[in-house]
Amino acid sequence: IGEPKNAFRDAENPRLVHLVFDQDLPQNTLGTVTVQNLKNGSGQYINTHKKTFLFDNRPIAIAALHVLNDSTLDVVFNKAMHPDFVSINTNYTINKGIGHPVSVAHLSPERMRIVFEPLIEGENYTLSVAGLQDAFGINMPRAIHRDFDFDFSGPFIVEAVLINPFELKLKANE
């Protein structure tokens, strides 16, 4: 997008410089800011600096949900989340009387481990998430929902038919 149209020091933090461009920054793609021809306090030139950044304004979404056991879910979001918001238990709910989690652990910027009261084997559930904010300060405008099954039981044979003395036809439930 070129050079900034204006650059000025922050009034409270002299190490912070604000850059003003005449067009919007690219969204949802990596950009690079290169700063060169800077002088230190003695008037000598200092190194050129480059910084890659991402201006991500995509809505918050659940990228993956993994059922680890009868009470623990790993939820992976599509972007880095603000740690102060993801750790609030009331931002998560499971239907069918399960309710809010017992605990929420922030494993990485995108990944949470959420522990609920035990789920019932073979049931379908919906995880609802609301009130989160991403690392860029974008709030969720509405709740998001993700359906999942809690079924750790293995498949079983429903039917076995002897075709001939050397061949058996099996039918499983899954």
Side-chain angles (χ1 to χ4, degrees), residues 90-134:
T90 56
N91 287 342
Y92 309 92
T93 307
I94 291 183
N95 66 339
K96 298 190 178 179
I98 301 298
H100 299 295
V102 175
S103 67
V104 178
H106 193 191
L107 303 180
S108 74
E110 299 88 11
R111 183 182 221 96
M112 312 310 133
R113 178 153 298 152
I114 308 173
V115 178
F116 289 90
E117 293 296 328
L119 304 172
I120 298 170
E121 180 76 29
E123 287 287 325
N124 301 320
Y125 292 98
T126 301
L127 172 67
S128 298
V129 180
L132 299 184
Q133 185 181 86
D134 70 14

Side-chain angles (χ1 to χ4, degrees), residues 5-6 11 17 37 43 52 59 74 83 102 104 111 113 127 130 141 154 165 171:
K5 297 303 172 196
N6 193 4
V17 176
N37 300 323
T52 301
D74 267 6
V102 175
V104 178
R111 183 182 221 96
R113 178 153 298 152
L127 172 67
K171 181 178 179 183

Side-chain angles (χ1 to χ4, degrees), residues 1-114:
I1 63 173
E3 296 181 8
K5 297 303 172 196
N6 193 4
F8 59 93
R9 282 189 179 185
D10 189 83
E12 296 176 15
N13 182 355
R15 296 180 64 183
L16 178 63
V17 176
H18 297 271
L19 302 176
V20 180
F21 294 91
D22 64 353
Q23 56 183 308
D24 292 336
L25 295 174
Q27 297 178 11
N28 306 319
T29 59
L30 288 176
T32 302
V33 173
T34 304
V35 180
Q36 56 192 12
N37 300 323
L38 292 179
K39 295 180 182 180
N40 62 15
S42 303
Q44 298 173 330
Y45 284 102
I46 60 175
N47 295 336
T48 296
H49 298 278
K50 286 187 177 189
K51 178 69 177 174
T52 301
F53 68 93
L54 175 67
F55 175 48
D56 186 349
N57 68 346
R58 296 172 296 161
I60 296 168
I62 296 173
L65 186 147
H66 306 283
V67 181
L68 302 182
N69 59 40
D70 71 341
S71 59
T72 307
L73 304 177
D74 267 6
V75 179
V76 181
F77 291 97
N78 64 329
K79 56 168 68 184
M81 303 303 295
H82 193 292
D84 293 343
F85 291 84
V86 293
S87 58
I88 300 171
N89 290 13
T90 56
N91 287 342
Y92 309 92
T93 307
I94 291 183
N95 66 339
K96 298 190 178 179
I98 301 298
H100 299 295
V102 175
S103 67
V104 178
H106 193 191
L107 303 180
S108 74
E110 299 88 11
R111 183 182 221 96
M112 312 310 133
R113 178 153 298 152
I114 308 173

